[in-house]
Amino acid sequence: MLQHSNDAPSMVAVRPYSGPVQVGPDSVPDAIPDQMPDQMPDQMPATSVQARCRAVNLAPHRNNVGSTPATDTRGGAFNIWGNSFPAEELPAPGQFVVDQVAYDFPPTGRGTADNVRAAGQFIEVPSGRYDWLYVLGAAERRVEDELAFHFADGSVDFEQLRLSDFWAAPGWFGETQVRATRSMHYPFHVQAGVPAMLWSQRVPVTRRAALAAVRLPRNPAVHLFAATLVLSGGEGR
Amino acid sequence: MSSRPALEQWYRDPVSCLQSTLATLLLAQGQEPLEVLGLGWGFLHLPGDVRAEEFYWPTRTPEDPVAGVLAHHPVTSRWRAADPEQPLADLQAALAAGKLPVVAVDNFHLPFRPAYHDVHSAHLLVISAIDEERELVRVSDAMPPAYQGALSIPDLLKAWTSPNPREQEAFFSGAQISGRWLDIDLGGPYPPLDRGRLRAALKTNADRFAATGDPRGGLAGLAAFSEELVAAAGSGNGAVLEEAYTFGWGVQAQSAVHGELLRDCAVSWKLPGLAEAGRKVEQVAHAWTPVRVTSAYGRVSPQDWIVELQRHTRRLQLAYRDALATVDEALEEL
């Protein structure tokens, strides 16, 4: 009889990876909480979270289908292979809190665009003074690229957007791991044991001026599902 | 199966099966993969040489294909082809001699690969045991989802002799597998990496980047590659863009592990300048991402991606120059 499974677990000696996530089926949690431990309500009331956050409206800019249902994986196009996130394992549409930041997560798994593949989009934002731009996303391989903050007074600052790989990879840039899915969707099958990674990352807004818009990198490896600006201390209260 | 103990595996997300299989061999010899795989850093692009294989690596010494991967170590290697009449005989002889043969395979025929019965692509596996009576071999594959265990000999033979046809995959299919296997002698054990050996390697790497004797190598080769890639986009030559994705995997991986090694050494030796140099080298790896991914998407309509390729190849060259300058500064504290 042919054998296609590991001979025995004790025979496998996989050197532990030093990163926060060990790839492979053993790294995938049985249950994925909707909130990370540091976002529990007793640490910051939901009203406080909402008061300090301004969701960036990405809806007009979504241009990529990054998630699919297990029943129809063919329409996914997160990467050049047509891999996609399992929609069943992504956050529900609407408010999703991680890193004490309220994101507006898009509908997924419907065969329509659910994320922004970065192509230099110029995105106007609610005017305000902010400390951070938070993003929920992932990259097709590791990415470090420049985005531009445009301010109401005409000034422009460039900052680095850093996102780790979505394909069975550890977070390389110190992001918060939001999802390590139990499976990866391929165009013609669902692959167990290869996690798709979703990250929460942040970019500093250092200038003390009213922000007007964000220019994304012209980089097709960057994918953003949601973005939220965090007001400077004292604002929004 | 023989009683050979389980093999250790090593993986980083930027590496290909070339580095991950070499890492398995290094671990079996008691070597730390990062300090061996991460010591060399260079650039060589050979137009027309790129083969659609996950393990493609450009070399001026095709008779010794691994020499350029481990440029600072006395490794020797040779591609060999299985005897159609006795395909396993050479592998058994290699195992009996204490070697771990590395076979080229088509993922389409491997039940533990995500591409099984889905996508053809050329990949590498380490063979650690053969049991002809049970029609099994034991294989090690560190690429996700990492696997070590049994593979039926009929499946191995299908994968090992596959024509690897190009059907739905553009980057790693179309190159015949042809029963190839890599016969590698690592030439070790190697002495531990110390400051002196690292300093010598960094100087050699820098000299090779600055050399102008090989127009396809070093910074000159990088400039030529960049110029030709943008020109190919301008002329609508999608084949050149397609090759850039395949070619770029090896050099991107090399930059990633070299940078990580420098940061690891910096922590051990308390050298913050070396840590910063390592981070700059990692930025080179990350600058490869948009060059490769833009090329991959751009192969279908190259002229739509000219501006992106100009931008990303310009930044890639700047990243190399910045990293080399920072490495040079770090040499002072080594």
Side-chain angles (χ1 to χ4, degrees):
Chain A
M1 182 176 173
L2 303 182
Q3 297 178 21
H4 297 316
S5 59
N6 285 340
D7 284 352
S10 60
M11 290 183 63
V12 181
V14 178
R15 175 162 289 205
Y17 187 73
S18 59
V21 179
Q22 187 173 347
V23 299
D26 292 340
S27 69
V28 183
D30 292 326
I32 301 171
D34 280 338
Q35 290 181 305
M36 304 297 284
D38 63 347
Q39 304 133 21
M40 292 304 168
D42 60 339
Q43 293 200 357
M44 179 170 283
T47 51
S48 298
V49 169
Q50 291 169 342
R52 62 196 284 269
C53 297
R54 295 288 181 270
V56 177
N57 183 15
L58 296 183
H61 304 283
R62 291 184 196 129
N63 58 358
N64 179 260
V65 179
S67 68
T68 53
T71 52
D72 185 4
T73 59
R74 287 171 298 177
F78 191 88
N79 65 1
I80 60 168
W81 314 107
N83 289 139
S84 55
F85 282 87
E88 300 84 349
E89 297 189 52
L90 290 177
Q95 181 170 294
F96 175 72
V97 177
V98 64
D99 286 337
Q100 298 184 346
V101 169
Y103 288 104
D104 183 13
F105 202 78
T108 57
R110 299 179 177 180
T112 55
D114 53 25
N115 74 93
V116 181
R117 193 176 79 174
Q121 293 89 345
F122 189 79
I123 300 173
E124 294 184 352
V125 302
S127 183
R129 288 170 53 147
Y130 301 102
D131 284 343
W132 298 98
L133 170 67
Y134 275 74
V135 298
L136 265 187
E140 185 173 353
R141 300 194 168 273
R142 299 178 195 166
V143 159
E144 289 185 88
D145 208 337
E146 235 171 30
L147 54 73
F149 287 126
H150 290 251
F151 295 87
D153 65 2
S155 51
V156 177
D157 286 336
F158 297 101
E159 299 290 348
Q160 288 289 313
L161 171 63
R162 300 184 172 92
L163 280 172
S164 295
D165 196 349
F166 103 114
W167 202 91
W172 200 252
F173 301 112
E175 306 104 314
T176 296
Q177 177 188 310
V178 177
R179 288 289 188 270
T181 63
R182 299 176 187 85
S183 64
M184 176 75 73
H185 284 184
Y186 280 68
F188 300 106
H189 76 284
V190 172
Q191 178 66 42
V194 177
M197 313 300 295
L198 181 64
W199 310 105
S200 175
Q201 178 59 293
R202 60 184 182 175
V203 183
V205 185
T206 59
R207 185 178 295 270
R208 291 174 171 80
L211 186 66
V214 179
R215 168 84 76 183
L216 297 184
R218 298 174 74 133
N219 188 331
V222 174
H223 294 257
L224 304 180
F225 284 92
T228 290
L229 287 155
V230 176
L231 289 161
S232 297
E235 295 201 24
R237 293 178 182 167
Chain B
M1 293 284 190
S2 77
S3 58
R4 180 190 281 270
L7 298 173
E8 282 190 279
Q9 297 179 330
W10 179 96
Y11 171 72
R12 296 290 187 273
D13 55 274
V15 308
S16 77
C17 55
L18 176 62
Q19 287 96 355
S20 68
T21 51
L22 286 173
T24 297
L25 270 58
L26 289 163
L27 286 163
Q29 189 178 278
Q31 302 285 162
E32 174 57 47
L34 183 63
E35 71 175 45
V36 180
L37 290 167
L39 200 53
W41 187 42
F43 182 87
L44 177 65
H45 175 243
L46 302 173
D49 179 67
V50 180
R51 293 181 305 280
E53 299 165 339
E54 292 180 10
F55 46 88
Y56 172 74
W57 184 272
T59 178
R60 290 291 192 194
T61 59
E63 71 281 4
D64 188 355
V66 175
V69 186
L70 306 183
H72 300 287
H73 296 85
V75 62
T76 56
S77 62
R78 186 171 296 275
W79 278 114
R80 300 192 187 281
D83 178 349
E85 300 299 319
Q86 295 181 299
L88 298 177
D90 284 351
L91 303 187
Q92 286 173 318
L95 288 166
K99 293 182 178 179
L100 290 169
V102 175
V103 296
V105 287
D106 177 355
N107 281 327
F108 184 90
H109 299 290
L110 300 176
F112 52 84
R113 291 302 313 167
Y116 180 56
H117 285 176
D118 189 344
V119 177
H120 294 275
S121 58
H123 185 62
L124 293 177
L125 291 179
V126 178
I127 303 284
S128 61
I130 298 172
D131 185 341
E132 289 197 89
E133 191 173 320
R134 296 169 60 198
E135 286 207 306
L136 295 172
V137 293
R138 191 194 303 150
V139 301
S140 172
D141 182 359
M143 301 295 283
Y147 176 80
Q148 183 164 199
L151 172 69
S152 80
I153 288 176
D155 281 343
L156 171 68
L157 295 179
K158 278 188 284 187
W160 198 19
T161 57
S162 168
N164 187 26
R166 177 160 294 201
E167 292 173 351
Q168 50 177 296
E169 201 278 345
F171 308 103
F172 306 117
S173 64
Q176 291 268 341
I177 305 294
S178 305
R180 284 177 291 159
W181 66 281
L182 268 172
D183 184 357
I184 300 171
D185 183 345
L186 292 173
Y190 315 131
L193 184 62
D194 57 20
R195 290 189 185 204
R197 290 191 64 225
L198 181 61
R199 186 187 310 113
L202 293 181
K203 286 182 174 175
T204 300
N205 294 342
D207 289 346
R208 289 174 179 163
F209 268 111
T212 55
D214 185 343
R216 307 306 312 184
L219 290 174
L222 175 65
F225 163 78
S226 301
E227 186 176 327
E228 291 161 7
L229 186 63
V230 173
S235 64
N237 187 344
V240 170
L241 274 63
E242 190 172 293
E243 284 191 355
Y245 182 83
T246 306
F247 158 72
W249 195 347
V251 278
Q252 178 174 33
Q254 187 191 46
S255 296
V257 295
H258 183 58
E260 184 183 344
L261 171 64
L262 298 192
R263 286 193 300 101
D264 264 22
C265 290
V267 170
S268 299
W269 303 335
K270 296 182 171 52
L271 300 174
L274 186 63
E276 291 156 17
R279 186 67 179 86
K280 290 287 188 181
V281 176
E282 288 179 316
Q283 286 185 335
V284 172
H286 306 155
W288 269 106
T289 294
V291 173
R292 295 184 63 212
V293 174
T294 301
S295 297
Y297 287 114
R299 75 190 193 282
V300 179
S301 55
Q303 289 167 330
D304 294 337
W305 298 84
I306 297 170
V307 173
E308 282 81 358
L309 287 171
Q310 285 173 329
R311 174 185 295 231
H312 294 309
T313 53
R314 182 179 73 241
R315 290 184 173 183
L316 178 67
Q317 293 178 80
L318 289 170
Y320 269 100
R321 290 185 182 280
D322 191 26
L324 283 163
T326 313
V327 168
D328 189 55
E329 292 166 7
L331 280 169
E332 293 178 11
E333 66 178 22
L334 253 181

